[in-house]
Amino acid sequence: MRILAAGDHFVRPDLLRAALAAELADLPGELTPEFRDLTLPWPHEPFGPVGTVIEASGTEDQLIEALEGAGICVTQMAPFTEKVIAASPGLRMIAVSRGGPVNVDLAAATRHGVAVSFAPGRNAPAAAEFAIGLMLAAMRRITTADADLKNGVWRGDFYAYEEGGIELDGATVGLVGYGAIGRIVARVLTAFGSRVLAHDPYADPAAVRADGVELVGLDDLLRASNVVSLHARLTTETHHLIDADKLALLPEGAVLVNSARGGLLDYAPLPGLLRSGRLGALALDVYDVEPPPADWPLHDAPNVVTAPHLAGATRQTAHRAAAITAAEVGRFLRGEPLAHPANPEVTPDNRLKESRP
């Protein structure tokens, strides 16, 4: 069985191969894997749309050439478009080492009988810790004070009452989205002494209550929260979930954090809200356009903390992604149900054929 490890400079091919070798060590001889590597340019080159998919790295022709003779591909960023899948008749599985297979044309994979899996929760600890870091940096002006001090400016004025920050201890923090990341964030906030609210129409109310978190409607969460942090998945339903009308519900001086997806937030009203003081601070790791252009209005808005989409960038995330992905390949080759199928309609019978029709 030839497996293409289409890694990049984060989830590297050697990490994928090591995880696969450990997972597949006990397979029968006829399924012993033969590995081929491909290194895609991300993150040294930004990802983007390729063919019919989004957030991909590399080219279709490059991937088609590397897939020759491969039955399985493990990847984070490779562009599995209709063109690539149609040109790879031996391909039976695409195991994506990220939280959603946005680099795969799922409809095309399903039509061609190719199973697709993904790796939910791979970056949950990293992303949760980063969100807390963004909150603290925005609430206490850490990055502003750091930059000014390095430029020879001592910001003693930040000790003035009017300029003072707020604490998480005793603050009401609203989490929009309560999946794996939001749940870890809530646990940390509770330890800080925060009152935590959550809005997630898909969350189990009993499980949320058991975490000591209050499940509320979105408008109620926004009206009550000193800090709001976004942790929802981006869908057509959640695009611009937080728009100008929703932002108007926030208490004056509230802090807003987005480390989930840029499309959740309407960025257009934010510069005005920051300059007027209606919004106290803003912390961002994701954007409507990545990277933001040089004339982006928030570059010179006050009280903004920014990072270049780094929430999941830990070595542990890369190892976890490889391990989750390798476990799915092991299930596939043993004929077991996948734990994280993206197209469950591709059944074991048709995915284990020698080649696709």
Side-chain angles (χ1 to χ4, degrees):
M1 168 62 66
R2 178 172 291 175
I3 299 176
L4 174 63
D8 47 60
H9 295 279
F10 178 49
V11 184
R12 301 183 322 203
D14 62 310
L15 300 182
L16 293 168
R17 278 191 285 101
L20 286 163
E23 174 67 30
L24 306 180
D26 296 330
L27 286 176
E30 66 270 18
L31 293 177
T32 300
E34 170 196 341
F35 296 114
R36 174 182 291 175
D37 286 359
L38 173 65
T39 301
L40 301 167
W42 188 83
H44 299 316
E45 296 179 12
F47 60 63
V50 178
T52 56
V53 301
I54 60 173
E55 292 191 13
S57 178
T59 69
E60 291 171 302
D61 290 342
Q62 176 189 31
L63 183 56
I64 289 169
E65 180 180 355
L67 281 167
E68 184 178 357
I72 294 173
C73 180
V74 291
T75 189
Q76 177 179 226
M77 291 284 181
F80 277 96
T81 63
E82 167 71 40
K83 175 182 174 179
V84 170
I85 295 169
S88 308
L91 186 65
R92 297 182 294 170
M93 181 191 190
I94 304 165
V96 178
S97 62
R98 64 195 301 184
V102 294
N103 54 309
V104 178
D105 184 332
L106 275 180
T110 303
R111 281 195 306 274
H112 288 281
V114 178
V116 180
S117 69
F118 59 107
R122 63 165 195 159
N123 67 350
E129 292 176 9
F130 200 86
I132 295 291
L134 287 175
M135 284 183 206
L136 293 170
M139 294 166 69
R140 302 300 302 276
R141 302 192 183 183
I142 293 172
T143 55
T144 302
D146 171 71
D148 284 346
L149 186 60
K150 288 173 180 174
N151 287 320
V153 180
W154 181 265
R155 295 304 301 265
D157 58 309
F158 281 176
Y159 233 112
Y161 179 86
E162 295 78 9
E163 300 295 336
I166 60 174
E167 300 172 0
L168 285 173
D169 188 8
T172 297
V173 182
L175 306 180
V176 180
Y178 199 74
I181 296 170
R183 195 169 190 179
I184 298 172
V185 171
R187 187 174 70 214
V188 176
L189 290 170
T190 300
F192 268 109
S194 303
R195 173 195 178 205
V196 183
L197 309 179
H199 170 74
D200 189 328
Y202 303 102
D204 177 6
V208 177
R209 285 195 299 271
D211 291 340
V213 175
E214 301 172 51
L215 196 62
V216 299
L218 180 57
D219 288 2
D220 290 338
L221 179 148
L222 295 171
R223 290 189 185 101
S225 297
N226 308 109
V227 182
V228 172
S229 188
L230 307 186
H231 300 285
R233 187 170 290 280
L234 180 61
T235 65
T236 54
E237 179 185 0
T238 61
H239 181 261
H240 281 192
L241 180 65
I242 308 300
D243 58 13
D245 291 339
K246 297 300 185 187
L247 290 166
L249 300 176
L250 290 169
E252 184 160 354
V255 174
L256 178 62
V257 178
N258 187 11
S259 58
R261 279 292 184 263
L264 296 172
L265 179 60
D266 182 359
Y267 284 71
L270 297 174
L273 293 171
L274 287 159
R275 292 191 178 96
S276 71
R278 278 286 296 128
L279 189 62
L282 175 68
L284 301 171
D285 187 47
V286 291
Y287 309 89
D288 44 1
V289 176
E290 295 190 2
D295 61 352
W296 189 51
L298 284 168
H299 278 317
D300 58 1
N303 301 331
V304 179
V305 176
T306 56
H309 206 144
L310 290 178
T314 66
R315 293 180 181 181
Q316 291 93 331
T317 291
H319 284 280
R320 225 170 3 246
I324 295 170
T325 306
E328 287 289 75
V329 173
R331 293 182 187 100
F332 179 89
L333 290 175
R334 291 189 293 268
E336 301 167 1
L338 297 178
H340 311 296
N343 56 346
E345 57 269 47
V346 178
T347 64
D349 285 345
N350 63 36
R351 77 185 188 216
L352 288 171
K353 291 177 181 177
E354 283 300 315
S355 63
R356 304 194 318 265

